[in-house]
Amino acid sequence: MSKKLVIKVTAGADAPERCSQAFTVAAVAVASGVRVSLWLTGESAWFALPGKAAEFELPHSAPLPDLIESIRAGGQITLCTQCAVRRDIGEDDVLEGVRIAGAQVFVSEVMEDGVQALVY
């Protein structure tokens, strides 16, 4: 069985380097053939919305919209249910392919055999 990488990103524009690191690692993992599940929580929840990633800037880093597209093309992006509700984000608001799910799904993913979990 191939390994899976589950990444929870809690940072957004409030901690741009940590945020960028999470998306970069996820995109590189997808490009390397690793199964990736990226969870958007806290301030990163805003990046589930169309156009929000284009507002993110960090010198000497890959553009966030490009990283998100890479991850969506070969992995799964999930928006935390509670984080979505707190920000009044619904299923019709998010980028195509982004699912909204809660802690039960996160726990089931990280408890699978062969999973490595990272939190940024």
Side-chain angles (χ1 to χ4, degrees):
M1 172 183 283
S2 64
K3 284 194 88 166
K4 179 178 179 179
L5 182 61
V6 177
I7 299 173
K8 179 185 274 194
V9 55
T10 63
D14 60 325
E17 287 184 296
R18 193 162 30 110
C19 176
S20 181
Q21 289 169 1
F23 283 94
T24 300
V25 167
V28 168
V30 167
S32 300
V34 176
R35 294 182 303 136
V36 173
S37 176
L38 179 72
W39 282 74
L40 305 177
T41 67
E43 285 303 299
S44 73
W46 295 114
F47 299 128
L49 298 175
K52 284 294 189 179
E55 299 171 9
F56 180 87
E57 292 184 18
L58 181 63
H60 310 291
S61 66
L64 195 56
D66 295 350
L67 296 174
I68 290 173
E69 286 308 309
S70 297
I71 299 162
R72 285 193 328 163
Q76 173 70 60
I77 298 178
T78 305
L79 172 59
C80 160
T81 302
Q82 289 182 12
C83 300
V85 170
R86 284 186 202 101
R87 290 160 180 80
D88 199 28
I89 299 172
E91 289 185 14
D92 294 336
D93 300 320
V94 299
L95 295 165
E96 183 178 335
V98 172
R99 69 178 175 172
I100 298 176
Q104 181 181 4
V105 176
F106 178 79
V107 169
S108 70
E109 281 192 22
V110 299
M111 295 307 296
E112 292 174 8
D113 288 336
V115 170
Q116 174 69 52
L118 302 173
V119 178
Y120 286 88

